[in-house]
């Protein structure tokens, strides 16, 4: 009689293959917790984690200031995470892959710290008081991982100017340039800095280095030629990088009760064949393939055979749009809303633990 193979006795090459398919820090921790041999595989594996939906961070000031809440789309649950001491009592103003966050204190001191390792990146200039007030610095974006000396931080100041800081430039502060633009958001995409104005103009910035090694805007910003988007201009827009492409998220108000917000997502598409405009905003329509955690749950719920297929399928889910989180102070404190682009609606059944 053949003895069954124990999980701990699986060959190393097979374990490495399995681990390479495990996405996200939470599932990788679960993998390592199975047994000693699986934990050894997790420690020594050369495989990077497959892409996952980002965790969403939000803070309830009525709770413990030493902790924050993070929403994990993999599990559809909210977890409480202890904060590094450098982030306690500060506001999150930016983030980068790998658990890196930028936090700003009421004293206008900036810190870049990793939520998982507690490692803090030394900054050439922590004091941001001369760039604006605490509420004026709404967002800081990273050109690449903050562990690189070439990483550039960018923000929009209270004067609606763009300020830059290169991490690898010792003893030098932020540089700021007046633009005369009403910017509502900025983002790095493929190491290029872009800005979005209140009138939905897309601005491309050129970044250079001055004689002191500081990052500076080296030329006049370029206004990209884009065909006007159908549906009119709103003032509740954001611009993000999605799979190496520029995407604009437009938040509008519905006609339903309580005027609940909803979102539309537009991708920047090259339209160079047109004589008048080089680009256009094209609304993203959800793929007919089964992608994303919510649709895969719907698929598995059809019947037993479909559920068995979902459990044994070797196919990874196609890329999906990130879920968008917003809060409603009038609702249950133990719940939050996340907007799911798969369904085009908000889901209110996400409950804290």
């Amino acid at each position: 009689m053949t003895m069954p193979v124990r999980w701990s006795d699986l060959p190393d090459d097979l374990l490495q293959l399995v681990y390479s398919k495990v996405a996200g820090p939470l599932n990788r921790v679960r993998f390592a917790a199975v047994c000693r041999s699986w934990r050894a595989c997790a420690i020594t594996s050369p495989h990077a984690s497959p892409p996952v939906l980002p965790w969403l961070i939000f803070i309830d000031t009525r709770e413990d200031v030493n902790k924050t809440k993070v929403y994990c789309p993999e599990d559809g649950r909210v977890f409480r995470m202890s904060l590094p001491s450098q982030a306690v009592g500060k506001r999150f103003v930016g983030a980068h892959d790998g658990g890196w966050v930028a936090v700003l204190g009421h004293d206008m001191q900036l810190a870049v710290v990793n939520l998982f390792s507690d490692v803090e990146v030394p900054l050439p200039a922590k004091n941001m008081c001369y760039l604006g007030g605490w509420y004026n610095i709404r967002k800081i974006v990273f050109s690449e991982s903050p562990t690189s000396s070439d990483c550039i931080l960018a923000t929009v100041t209270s004067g609606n100017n763009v300020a830059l800081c290169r991490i690898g430039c010792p003893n030098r502060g932020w540089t700021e340039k007046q633009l005369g633009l009403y910017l509502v958001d900025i983002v790095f995409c493929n190491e290029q800095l872009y800005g979005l104005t209140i009138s939905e103009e897309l601005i491309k910035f050129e970044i250079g280095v001055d004689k002191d090694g500081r990052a500076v805007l080296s030329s006049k910003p370029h206004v990209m030629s884009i065909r006007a988007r159908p549906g009119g201009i709103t003032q509740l827009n954001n611009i993000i990088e999605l799979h190496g492409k520029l995407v604009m998220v437009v938040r509008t108000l519905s006609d339903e009760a309580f005027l609940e917000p909803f979102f539309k997502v537009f991708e920047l598409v090259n339209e160079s064949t047109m004589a008048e405009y080089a680009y256009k905003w094209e609304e993203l329509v959800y793929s007919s393939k089964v992608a994303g955690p919510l649709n895969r749950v719907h698929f598995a719920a059809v019947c037993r055979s479909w559920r068995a297929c979902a459990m044994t399928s070797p196919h990874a889910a196609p890329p999906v749009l990130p879920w968008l989180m917003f809060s409603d102070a009038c609702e249950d404190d133990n719940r939050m809303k996340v907007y799911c682009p798969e369904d085009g609606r908000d889901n209110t059944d996400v409950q804290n633990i």
Side-chain angles (χ1 to χ4, degrees), residues 44-284:
T44 60
S45 176
H47 300 289
S49 177
V52 294
L53 293 174
W55 289 12
L56 305 177
I57 301 174
F58 64 103
I59 294 179
D60 188 343
T61 56
R62 292 167 293 182
E63 297 196 2
D64 187 351
V65 296
N66 296 304
K67 295 184 178 181
T68 186
K69 292 179 181 178
V70 292
Y71 172 68
C72 175
E74 305 169 56
D75 283 12
R77 300 168 66 189
V78 174
F79 298 90
R80 289 178 174 85
M81 173 186 290
S82 295
L83 289 172
S85 59
Q86 306 94 319
V88 172
K90 297 183 178 180
R91 181 165 58 92
F92 288 84
V93 291
H96 192 273
D97 291 345
W100 294 102
V101 293
V103 292
L104 187 65
H106 285 281
D107 58 359
M108 296 302 293
Q109 298 297 305
L110 177 70
V112 174
V113 62
N114 193 288
L115 289 177
F116 301 112
S117 66
D118 291 4
V119 172
E120 182 177 1
V121 174
L123 297 178
K126 286 190 171 186
N127 194 338
M128 302 186 70
C129 62
Y130 59 91
L131 297 178
W134 190 65
Y135 286 106
N136 297 124
I137 305 299
R138 301 187 305 272
K139 180 179 181 181
I140 291 177
V141 294
F142 299 71
S143 64
E144 55 186 290
S145 172
T147 57
S148 169
S149 60
D150 293 326
C151 175
I152 296 174
L153 306 179
T155 188
V156 178
T157 70
S158 59
N160 226 355
N161 302 321
V162 171
L164 305 175
C165 176
R166 188 166 72 88
I167 286 181
C169 184
N171 303 320
R172 300 294 178 183
W174 291 74
T175 62
E176 183 180 7
K177 186 170 183 178
Q178 294 184 350
L179 300 173
L181 300 170
Y182 198 149
L183 294 172
V184 294
D185 204 4
I186 57 173
V187 71
F188 276 104
C189 181
N190 300 321
E191 300 183 359
Q192 179 71 55
L193 182 63
Y194 295 88
L196 185 69
T197 71
I198 195 170
S199 57
E200 292 189 8
E201 289 181 315
L202 186 63
I203 312 297
K204 183 177 181 180
F205 299 100
E206 296 295 335
I207 298 177
V209 178
D210 67 8
K211 60 182 179 63
D212 296 320
R214 300 182 302 175
V216 294
L217 295 183
S218 58
S219 61
K220 184 178 179 180
H222 171 64
V223 181
M224 300 178 66
S225 174
I226 302 179
R227 179 182 295 276
R229 178 179 61 84
I233 296 173
T234 70
Q235 299 181 12
L236 301 172
N237 296 354
N238 291 96
I239 187 170
I240 62 174
E241 181 271 336
L242 182 65
H243 307 305
K245 296 183 179 181
L246 283 174
V247 170
M248 180 171 64
V249 181
V250 178
R251 178 177 175 179
T252 59
L253 295 176
S254 70
D255 294 330
E256 299 177 4
F258 306 111
L259 297 178
E260 292 188 354
F262 68 95
F263 301 86
K264 290 186 177 181
V265 182
F266 297 85
E267 179 181 289
L268 186 67
V269 176
N270 192 320
E271 204 177 33
S272 57
T273 56
M274 302 295 292
E276 188 176 0
Y277 300 99
Y279 299 90
K280 68 176 181 179
W281 290 114
E282 185 174 280
E283 186 171 1
L284 289 179

